[in-house]
């Protein structure tokens, strides 16, 4: 397969205002930003299975502004890719607002990554370290608000929580006062990885804000999504690994249906998805429906042709 590139086009469905979706009273189902994975082809797939809103993988704002090559490789979209939020890693208000002005004709809004716990991101001043810099977060939101003319253009943030939840509530209130559109809360602190998600903390944050709040963390089925919304009172549910394992989960499927697997094949081939990405997505999707021996054989396949032959032989519809 060749490079994953589709010419960028202006978003044709501006009527799908995410803020209106959040105020509808219905569960808003969201595909999380996922490095390498939440690209155009995968977003196209999950939209077929009742995903309401998609995020791009995190893009470093400074690279996006300074390099046309980075823009072309990091961001692709098409007319059906709406509503869409681009997530930026940023630590400079001017660079972020420059990135927002470049991207605004093609998306519904931007999100500032204030939750990535990876060491490289924190070292660069991106991600979860920003939850300890509320003034910088405020400045970035203000700059984007002042330099993007479209009043419907959203500016959101995605955060982790502090051990002292009063600090998280304070951060969120300051962001709300500055004009942030909504806040996504991953219910773990910076050090936590696989520990239980603190849904009680998300509930408290929601109760202290007037803007929409999105819950994120360890949601693996539509029923779990509905339960978390009921527990937290949030306006939407964001899912990452659960969608990788089952892109049809928002449509109520408990495991990836065969139709979804073949939809992925068609979409990935149409979009020219690189083999490694194409194959890895299938590994995730088939994790729950294949035996240990089948996984060993399938995961060792090394070409698109071999994958297609295997699927035809073992998983024809």
């Amino acid at each position: 397969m060749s490079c994953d590139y589709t010419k960028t086009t202006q978003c044709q469905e501006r009527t799908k205002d995410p803020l209106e979706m959040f105020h509808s009273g219905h569960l808003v189902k969201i595909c999380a930003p996922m490095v390498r994975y939440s690209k155009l082809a995968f977003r196209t797939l999950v939209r077929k299975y009742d995903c309401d809103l998609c995020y791009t993988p995190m893009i470093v704002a400074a690279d996006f502004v300074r390099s046309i090559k980075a823009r072309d490789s990091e961001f692709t979209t098409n007319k059906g890719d709406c509503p869409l939020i681009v997530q930026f890693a940023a630590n400079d208000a001017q660079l972020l607002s420059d990135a927002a002005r470049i991207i605004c004709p093609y998306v519904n809004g931007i999100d500032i990554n204030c939750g990535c716990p990876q060491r490289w991101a924190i070292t660069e001043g991106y991600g979860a370290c920003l939850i300890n810099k509320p003034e910088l977060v405020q400045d970035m939101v203000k700059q984007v608000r002042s330099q993007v003319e479209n009043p419907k253009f959203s500016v959101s943030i995605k955060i982790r929580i502090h051990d002292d939840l009063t600090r998280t509530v304070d951060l969120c209130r300051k962001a709300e006062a500055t004009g942030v559109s909504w806040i996504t809360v991953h219910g773990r602190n910076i050090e936590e990885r696989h520990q239980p998600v603190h849904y009680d903390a998300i509930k408290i944050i929601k109760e202290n804000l007037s803007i929409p709040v999105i819950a994120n963390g360890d949601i693996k089925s539509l029923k779990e999504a509905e339960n978390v919304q009921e527990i937290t009172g949030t306006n939407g549910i964001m899912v990452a690994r659960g969608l990788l394992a089952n892109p049809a989960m928002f449509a109520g499927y408990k495991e990836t249906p065969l139709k979804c697997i073949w939809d992925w094949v068609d979409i990935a081939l149409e979009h020219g998805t690189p083999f490694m990405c194409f194959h890895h997505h299938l590994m995730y999707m088939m994790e729950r429906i294949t035996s240990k021996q089948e996984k060993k054989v399938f995961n060792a396949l090394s070409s698109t042709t071999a994958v297609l032959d295997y699927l035809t032989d073992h998983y024809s519809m």
Side-chain angles (χ1 to χ4, degrees):
M1 289 187 174
S2 59
C3 66
D4 183 12
Y5 180 80
T6 299
K7 184 179 179 182
T8 56
T9 55
Q10 287 200 346
C11 181
Q12 298 297 306
E13 298 185 46
R14 287 292 189 184
T15 55
K16 288 187 177 178
D17 184 345
L19 272 177
E20 291 178 7
M21 294 165 61
F22 291 135
H23 292 300
S24 69
H26 301 295
L27 172 66
V28 181
K29 302 178 285 280
I30 305 165
C31 176
M34 292 178 277
V35 173
R36 296 185 300 278
Y37 292 119
S38 61
K39 293 190 174 184
L40 176 59
F42 187 71
R43 298 196 300 267
T44 302
L45 178 66
V46 296
R47 290 186 195 279
K48 287 175 67 74
Y49 290 92
D50 293 356
C51 184
D52 300 311
L53 176 64
C54 291
Y55 280 55
T56 68
M58 180 184 73
I59 300 171
V60 176
D63 296 341
F64 189 82
V65 170
R66 293 166 181 160
S67 168
I68 294 175
K69 184 178 179 181
R71 289 176 222 165
D72 288 344
S73 65
E74 295 293 329
F75 176 72
T76 56
T77 189
N78 60 25
K79 291 181 181 180
D81 191 27
C82 289
L84 178 64
I85 305 298
V86 169
Q87 188 184 70
F88 282 118
N91 57 15
D92 180 279
Q94 187 58 56
L95 279 174
L96 178 64
S97 61
D98 289 345
R101 282 190 291 108
I102 293 169
I103 206 74
C104 68
Y106 309 103
V107 300
N108 295 80
I110 66 158
D111 183 80
I112 306 169
N113 187 321
C114 303
C116 178
Q118 293 184 35
R119 188 173 299 173
W120 76 265
I122 291 173
T123 299
E124 294 290 331
Y126 304 140
C129 70
L130 292 174
I131 66 172
N132 297 316
K133 300 177 181 179
E135 290 76 18
L136 175 55
V137 174
Q138 286 182 291
D139 191 29
M140 289 194 286
V141 173
K142 284 178 184 175
Q143 284 271 21
V144 175
R145 280 270 174 251
S146 67
Q147 296 197 30
V148 175
E149 295 180 357
N150 180 1
K152 285 189 174 183
F153 191 79
S154 66
V155 184
S156 57
I157 61 174
K158 184 173 186 288
I159 67 170
R160 284 191 171 229
I161 60 174
H162 299 84
D163 289 330
D164 178 0
L165 196 60
T166 60
R167 295 180 63 198
T168 314
V169 171
D170 180 65
L171 165 71
C172 292
R173 284 175 169 168
K174 286 178 176 176
E176 179 179 34
T178 310
V180 79
S181 305
W182 66 82
I183 297 174
T184 301
V185 183
H186 182 90
R188 293 186 176 98
N189 65 36
I190 295 176
E191 302 300 327
E192 292 175 321
R193 295 295 183 271
H194 303 291
Q195 292 87 341
V197 177
H198 303 288
Y199 294 122
D200 55 334
I202 299 176
K203 181 177 187 288
I204 291 169
I205 292 166
K206 171 60 181 171
E207 290 171 346
N208 278 274
L209 301 176
S210 299
I211 56 173
V213 174
I214 314 307
N216 171 234
D218 273 5
I219 297 161
K220 298 182 177 68
S221 70
L222 178 60
K223 183 172 180 57
E224 286 183 13
E226 292 168 343
N227 288 342
V228 169
Q229 185 190 35
E230 186 173 348
I231 292 167
T232 60
T234 48
N235 305 83
I237 299 294
M238 178 181 283
V239 178
R241 286 177 294 182
L243 277 176
L244 284 179
N246 179 9
M249 66 162 276
F250 282 145
Y253 291 93
K254 294 181 180 179
E255 58 187 29
T256 310
L258 283 182
K259 185 180 185 306
C260 182
I261 290 171
W262 284 104
D263 282 341
W264 169 246
V265 170
D266 292 340
I267 291 167
L269 293 176
E270 179 185 348
H271 286 269
T273 303
F275 172 73
M276 187 173 291
C277 181
F278 168 67
H279 192 206
H280 281 186
H281 273 294
L282 287 169
M283 289 182 195
Y284 280 116
M285 291 181 206
M286 296 169 66
E287 174 71 23
R288 298 179 191 171
I289 63 174
T290 52
S291 67
K292 186 175 181 181
Q293 182 58 34
E294 286 175 321
K295 288 182 183 68
K296 186 176 180 181
V297 173
F298 183 79
N299 294 357
L301 298 176
S302 58
S303 72
T304 300
T305 301
V307 167
L308 295 178
D309 287 345
Y310 184 93
L311 292 176
T312 301
D313 291 342
H314 295 83
Y315 294 97
S316 292
M317 291 185 62

